[in-house]
PDB file of all heavy atoms in Angstrom:
ATOM      1  N   PRO C 127     247.827  98.128 -25.271  1.00  0.00           N
ATOM      2  CA  PRO C 127     246.556  98.011 -25.983  1.00  0.00           C
ATOM      3  C   PRO C 127     246.335  99.127 -26.996  1.00  0.00           C
ATOM      4  O   PRO C 127     246.769 100.265 -26.794  1.00  0.00           O
ATOM      5  CB  PRO C 127     245.517  98.097 -24.864  1.00  0.00           C
ATOM      6  CG  PRO C 127     246.193  98.882 -23.797  1.00  0.00           C
ATOM      7  CD  PRO C 127     247.636  98.502 -23.877  1.00  0.00           C
ATOM      8  N   THR C 128     245.664  98.767 -28.062  1.00  0.00           N
ATOM      9  CA  THR C 128     245.289  99.754 -29.076  1.00  0.00           C
ATOM     10  C   THR C 128     244.090 100.546 -28.565  1.00  0.00           C
ATOM     11  O   THR C 128     243.424 100.145 -27.592  1.00  0.00           O
ATOM     12  CB  THR C 128     244.900  99.063 -30.391  1.00  0.00           C
ATOM     13  OG1 THR C 128     243.729  98.256 -30.146  1.00  0.00           O
ATOM     14  CG2 THR C 128     246.038  98.206 -30.943  1.00  0.00           C
ATOM     15  N   LEU C 129     243.790 101.633 -29.240  1.00  0.00           N
ATOM     16  CA  LEU C 129     242.596 102.405 -28.884  1.00  0.00           C
ATOM     17  C   LEU C 129     241.341 101.558 -29.090  1.00  0.00           C
ATOM     18  O   LEU C 129     240.377 101.670 -28.323  1.00  0.00           O
ATOM     19  CB  LEU C 129     242.522 103.686 -29.712  1.00  0.00           C
ATOM     20  CG  LEU C 129     243.587 104.729 -29.384  1.00  0.00           C
ATOM     21  CD1 LEU C 129     243.502 105.903 -30.356  1.00  0.00           C
ATOM     22  CD2 LEU C 129     243.452 105.215 -27.957  1.00  0.00           C
ATOM     23  N   GLU C 130     241.367 100.691 -30.092  1.00  0.00           N
ATOM     24  CA  GLU C 130     240.222  99.816 -30.337  1.00  0.00           C
ATOM     25  C   GLU C 130     240.005  98.858 -29.159  1.00  0.00           C
ATOM     26  O   GLU C 130     238.867  98.603 -28.756  1.00  0.00           O
ATOM     27  CB  GLU C 130     240.412  99.018 -31.639  1.00  0.00           C
ATOM     28  CG  GLU C 130     240.297  99.851 -32.902  1.00  0.00           C
ATOM     29  CD  GLU C 130     241.565 100.655 -33.226  1.00  0.00           C
ATOM     30  OE1 GLU C 130     242.633 100.404 -32.616  1.00  0.00           O
ATOM     31  OE2 GLU C 130     241.475 101.554 -34.084  1.00  0.00           O
ATOM     32  N   THR C 131     241.087  98.346 -28.606  1.00  0.00           N
ATOM     33  CA  THR C 131     240.991  97.450 -27.449  1.00  0.00           C
ATOM     34  C   THR C 131     240.428  98.190 -26.249  1.00  0.00           C
ATOM     35  O   THR C 131     239.548  97.683 -25.552  1.00  0.00           O
ATOM     36  CB  THR C 131     242.374  96.850 -27.117  1.00  0.00           C
ATOM     37  OG1 THR C 131     242.806  96.065 -28.228  1.00  0.00           O
ATOM     38  CG2 THR C 131     242.326  96.001 -25.860  1.00  0.00           C
ATOM     39  N   ILE C 132     240.902  99.406 -26.027  1.00  0.00           N
ATOM     40  CA  ILE C 132     240.395 100.212 -24.912  1.00  0.00           C
ATOM     41  C   ILE C 132     238.918 100.515 -25.117  1.00  0.00           C
ATOM     42  O   ILE C 132     238.127 100.466 -24.175  1.00  0.00           O
ATOM     43  CB  ILE C 132     241.225 101.502 -24.746  1.00  0.00           C
ATOM     44  CG1 ILE C 132     242.663 101.141 -24.351  1.00  0.00           C
ATOM     45  CG2 ILE C 132     240.592 102.426 -23.705  1.00  0.00           C
ATOM     46  CD1 ILE C 132     243.638 102.297 -24.408  1.00  0.00           C
ATOM     47  N   GLU C 133     238.517 100.770 -26.357  1.00  0.00           N
ATOM     48  CA  GLU C 133     237.110 101.025 -26.665  1.00  0.00           C
ATOM     49  C   GLU C 133     236.263  99.776 -26.378  1.00  0.00           C
ATOM     50  O   GLU C 133     235.182  99.879 -25.794  1.00  0.00           O
ATOM     51  CB  GLU C 133     236.952 101.456 -28.117  1.00  0.00           C
ATOM     52  CG  GLU C 133     235.514 101.775 -28.487  1.00  0.00           C
ATOM     53  CD  GLU C 133     235.366 102.214 -29.928  1.00  0.00           C
ATOM     54  OE1 GLU C 133     236.162 101.774 -30.791  1.00  0.00           O
ATOM     55  OE2 GLU C 133     234.435 102.985 -30.191  1.00  0.00           O
ATOM     56  N   GLN C 134     236.746  98.600 -26.775  1.00  0.00           N
ATOM     57  CA  GLN C 134     236.018  97.355 -26.505  1.00  0.00           C
ATOM     58  C   GLN C 134     235.850  97.151 -24.995  1.00  0.00           C
ATOM     59  O   GLN C 134     234.783  96.756 -24.533  1.00  0.00           O
ATOM     60  CB  GLN C 134     236.759  96.163 -27.106  1.00  0.00           C
ATOM     61  CG  GLN C 134     236.639  96.058 -28.604  1.00  0.00           C
ATOM     62  CD  GLN C 134     237.500  94.934 -29.141  1.00  0.00           C
ATOM     63  OE1 GLN C 134     238.641  95.160 -29.511  1.00  0.00           O
ATOM     64  NE2 GLN C 134     236.957  93.734 -29.158  1.00  0.00           N
ATOM     65  N   LEU C 135     236.913  97.398 -24.247  1.00  0.00           N
ATOM     66  CA  LEU C 135     236.833  97.249 -22.794  1.00  0.00           C
ATOM     67  C   LEU C 135     235.843  98.246 -22.201  1.00  0.00           C
ATOM     68  O   LEU C 135     235.060  97.900 -21.314  1.00  0.00           O
ATOM     69  CB  LEU C 135     238.216  97.448 -22.155  1.00  0.00           C
ATOM     70  CG  LEU C 135     239.200  96.317 -22.363  1.00  0.00           C
ATOM     71  CD1 LEU C 135     240.590  96.734 -21.887  1.00  0.00           C
ATOM     72  CD2 LEU C 135     238.745  95.063 -21.629  1.00  0.00           C
ATOM     73  N   SER C 136     235.869  99.472 -22.680  1.00  0.00           N
ATOM     74  CA  SER C 136     234.949 100.508 -22.188  1.00  0.00           C
ATOM     75  C   SER C 136     233.498 100.102 -22.397  1.00  0.00           C
ATOM     76  O   SER C 136     232.672 100.251 -21.506  1.00  0.00           O
ATOM     77  CB  SER C 136     235.210 101.844 -22.894  1.00  0.00           C
ATOM     78  OG  SER C 136     236.467 102.342 -22.563  1.00  0.00           O
ATOM     79  N   LYS C 137     233.217  99.574 -23.582  1.00  0.00           N
ATOM     80  CA  LYS C 137     231.847  99.134 -23.872  1.00  0.00           C
ATOM     81  C   LYS C 137     231.456  97.965 -22.978  1.00  0.00           C
ATOM     82  O   LYS C 137     230.356  97.925 -22.446  1.00  0.00           O
ATOM     83  CB  LYS C 137     231.716  98.742 -25.339  1.00  0.00           C
ATOM     84  CG  LYS C 137     231.733  99.918 -26.278  1.00  0.00           C
ATOM     85  CD  LYS C 137     231.665  99.466 -27.734  1.00  0.00           C
ATOM     86  CE  LYS C 137     231.714 100.645 -28.669  1.00  0.00           C
ATOM     87  NZ  LYS C 137     231.718 100.223 -30.084  1.00  0.00           N
ATOM     88  N   SER C 138     232.362  97.020 -22.793  1.00  0.00           N
ATOM     89  CA  SER C 138     232.069  95.845 -21.975  1.00  0.00           C
ATOM     90  C   SER C 138     231.908  96.198 -20.508  1.00  0.00           C
ATOM     91  O   SER C 138     231.086  95.609 -19.801  1.00  0.00           O
ATOM     92  CB  SER C 138     233.176  94.800 -22.129  1.00  0.00           C
ATOM     93  OG  SER C 138     233.256  94.378 -23.467  1.00  0.00           O
ATOM     94  N   LEU C 139     232.692  97.150 -20.039  1.00  0.00           N
ATOM     95  CA  LEU C 139     232.625  97.568 -18.628  1.00  0.00           C
ATOM     96  C   LEU C 139     231.568  98.650 -18.417  1.00  0.00           C
ATOM     97  O   LEU C 139     231.304  99.048 -17.287  1.00  0.00           O
ATOM     98  CB  LEU C 139     233.993  98.085 -18.173  1.00  0.00           C
ATOM     99  CG  LEU C 139     235.087  97.029 -18.088  1.00  0.00           C
ATOM    100  CD1 LEU C 139     236.455  97.684 -17.945  1.00  0.00           C
ATOM    101  CD2 LEU C 139     234.819  96.079 -16.933  1.00  0.00           C
ATOM    102  N   LYS C 140     230.987  99.139 -19.518  1.00  0.00           N
ATOM    103  CA  LYS C 140     229.984 100.207 -19.483  1.00  0.00           C
ATOM    104  C   LYS C 140     230.505 101.425 -18.730  1.00  0.00           C
ATOM    105  O   LYS C 140     229.831 102.012 -17.889  1.00  0.00           O
ATOM    106  CB  LYS C 140     228.676  99.706 -18.886  1.00  0.00           C
ATOM    107  CG  LYS C 140     228.052  98.604 -19.723  1.00  0.00           C
ATOM    108  CD  LYS C 140     226.772  98.093 -19.154  1.00  0.00           C
ATOM    109  CE  LYS C 140     226.268  96.991 -20.056  1.00  0.00           C
ATOM    110  NZ  LYS C 140     225.233  96.209 -19.483  1.00  0.00           N
ATOM    111  N   ALA C 141     231.732 101.759 -19.044  1.00  0.00           N
ATOM    112  CA  ALA C 141     232.382 102.905 -18.399  1.00  0.00           C
ATOM    113  C   ALA C 141     233.563 103.347 -19.251  1.00  0.00           C
ATOM    114  O   ALA C 141     234.178 102.533 -19.944  1.00  0.00           O
ATOM    115  CB  ALA C 141     232.863 102.539 -17.013  1.00  0.00           C
ATOM    116  N   ILE C 142     233.858 104.603 -19.164  1.00  0.00           N
ATOM    117  CA  ILE C 142     235.069 105.128 -19.799  1.00  0.00           C
ATOM    118  C   ILE C 142     236.136 105.170 -18.711  1.00  0.00           C
ATOM    119  O   ILE C 142     235.932 105.796 -17.670  1.00  0.00           O
ATOM    120  CB  ILE C 142     234.830 106.534 -20.368  1.00  0.00           C
ATOM    121  CG1 ILE C 142     233.770 106.471 -21.454  1.00  0.00           C
ATOM    122  CG2 ILE C 142     236.138 107.131 -20.877  1.00  0.00           C
ATOM    123  CD1 ILE C 142     233.313 107.817 -21.950  1.00  0.00           C
ATOM    124  N   PRO C 143     237.252 104.471 -18.914  1.00  0.00           N
ATOM    125  CA  PRO C 143     238.298 104.494 -17.885  1.00  0.00           C
ATOM    126  C   PRO C 143     238.752 105.919 -17.581  1.00  0.00           C
ATOM    127  O   PRO C 143     239.008 106.709 -18.482  1.00  0.00           O
ATOM    128  CB  PRO C 143     239.431 103.682 -18.511  1.00  0.00           C
ATOM    129  CG  PRO C 143     238.773 102.825 -19.523  1.00  0.00           C
ATOM    130  CD  PRO C 143     237.627 103.635 -20.042  1.00  0.00           C
ATOM    131  N   ARG C 144     238.791 106.238 -16.303  1.00  0.00           N
ATOM    132  CA  ARG C 144     239.287 107.545 -15.854  1.00  0.00           C
ATOM    133  C   ARG C 144     240.698 107.326 -15.361  1.00  0.00           C
ATOM    134  O   ARG C 144     240.896 106.665 -14.346  1.00  0.00           O
ATOM    135  CB  ARG C 144     238.413 108.105 -14.746  1.00  0.00           C
ATOM    136  CG  ARG C 144     237.006 108.382 -15.201  1.00  0.00           C
ATOM    137  CD  ARG C 144     236.146 108.778 -14.019  1.00  0.00           C
ATOM    138  NE  ARG C 144     234.776 108.837 -14.419  1.00  0.00           N
ATOM    139  CZ  ARG C 144     234.092 109.976 -14.502  1.00  0.00           C
ATOM    140  NH1 ARG C 144     234.661 111.105 -14.168  1.00  0.00           N
ATOM    141  NH2 ARG C 144     232.850 109.959 -14.875  1.00  0.00           N
ATOM    142  N   LEU C 145     241.628 107.861 -16.091  1.00  0.00           N
ATOM    143  CA  LEU C 145     243.025 107.647 -15.748  1.00  0.00           C
ATOM    144  C   LEU C 145     243.479 108.748 -14.795  1.00  0.00           C
ATOM    145  O   LEU C 145     243.335 109.923 -15.087  1.00  0.00           O
ATOM    146  CB  LEU C 145     243.879 107.623 -17.015  1.00  0.00           C
ATOM    147  CG  LEU C 145     243.430 106.618 -18.075  1.00  0.00           C
ATOM    148  CD1 LEU C 145     244.380 106.639 -19.250  1.00  0.00           C
ATOM    149  CD2 LEU C 145     243.330 105.236 -17.498  1.00  0.00           C
ATOM    150  N   LYS C 146     244.014 108.330 -13.675  1.00  0.00           N
ATOM    151  CA  LYS C 146     244.482 109.273 -12.656  1.00  0.00           C
ATOM    152  C   LYS C 146     245.993 109.327 -12.701  1.00  0.00           C
ATOM    153  O   LYS C 146     246.662 108.309 -12.610  1.00  0.00           O
ATOM    154  CB  LYS C 146     243.987 108.828 -11.292  1.00  0.00           C
ATOM    155  CG  LYS C 146     242.478 108.769 -11.224  1.00  0.00           C
ATOM    156  CD  LYS C 146     242.019 107.989 -10.005  1.00  0.00           C
ATOM    157  CE  LYS C 146     240.535 107.757 -10.059  1.00  0.00           C
ATOM    158  NZ  LYS C 146     240.168 106.490 -10.653  1.00  0.00           N
ATOM    159  N   PHE C 147     246.519 110.537 -12.819  1.00  0.00           N
ATOM    160  CA  PHE C 147     247.961 110.725 -12.902  1.00  0.00           C
ATOM    161  C   PHE C 147     248.420 111.564 -11.719  1.00  0.00           C
ATOM    162  O   PHE C 147     247.695 112.423 -11.243  1.00  0.00           O
ATOM    163  CB  PHE C 147     248.352 111.450 -14.188  1.00  0.00           C
ATOM    164  CG  PHE C 147     247.800 110.808 -15.417  1.00  0.00           C
ATOM    165  CD1 PHE C 147     246.748 111.390 -16.098  1.00  0.00           C
ATOM    166  CD2 PHE C 147     248.327 109.626 -15.894  1.00  0.00           C
ATOM    167  CE1 PHE C 147     246.241 110.793 -17.237  1.00  0.00           C
ATOM    168  CE2 PHE C 147     247.821 109.030 -17.038  1.00  0.00           C
ATOM    169  CZ  PHE C 147     246.775 109.615 -17.711  1.00  0.00           C
TER     170      PHE C 147
END
Side-chain angles (χ1 to χ4, degrees):
T128 63
L129 291 175
E130 289 79 13
T131 297
I132 295 169
E133 182 180 30
Q134 285 175 268
L135 287 171
S136 294
K137 288 177 181 177
S138 299
L139 292 167
K140 297 180 181 166
I142 297 172
R144 296 173 189 249
L145 305 183
K146 300 165 189 94
F147 307 106

